[in-house]
Amino acid sequence: MTKMYHYATVSEALDDLNEKGFTYDFNIHEADIVKNPDKYEIVHIYRYEGDSSPDDEAVVYGIKSSSGKKGVYVAGFAANSVNEATQVLIQLSIKGR
């Protein structure tokens, strides 16, 4: 089951995930998620909400692969920040609820 947390900053979320062993950067390797979404599970979701603008909002995903690799993916909420990997992660988070 996916756990959702709210933190004041993206840095806090990334630090917390790092302490939990989520060290792989899926932003660099997002094509892996797009090609093989069934091999990934979202374990944690951290949401960051900006004080003044919706463009400052972001979500940090704690992801685990079927091979045991644990890492993070950071996505913005702005319309221009939604890409194919983000769409896959949104579907995975819905599926995991």
Side-chain angles (χ1 to χ4, degrees):
M1 176 175 207
T2 304
K3 297 178 184 175
M4 183 176 280
Y5 302 90
H6 299 277
Y7 287 96
T9 67
V10 171
S11 302
E12 287 180 31
L14 291 172
D15 288 345
D16 189 50
L17 282 169
N18 193 331
E19 288 177 17
K20 293 176 179 169
F22 290 80
T23 57
Y24 189 75
D25 187 347
F26 282 109
N27 284 86
I28 295 172
H29 305 282
E30 66 183 29
D32 296 340
I33 294 170
V34 173
K35 290 179 186 174
N36 302 295
D38 293 338
K39 293 184 178 185
Y40 296 94
E41 172 188 8
I42 297 174
V43 182
H44 300 280
I45 299 175
Y46 295 79
R47 188 168 173 176
Y48 171 71
E49 297 180 9
D51 293 331
S52 59
S53 170
D55 289 342
D56 293 338
E57 295 179 0
V59 63
V60 177
Y61 295 97
I63 302 168
K64 186 170 101 175
S65 72
S66 59
S67 66
K69 186 179 296 185
K70 297 190 320 187
V72 297
Y73 186 89
V74 180
F77 283 159
N80 63 352
S81 63
V82 177
N83 61 20
E84 196 172 3
T86 305
Q87 298 245 350
V88 169
L89 291 171
I90 290 168
Q91 291 303 313
L92 286 175
S93 67
I94 292 169
K95 181 180 170 184
R97 289 185 182 177

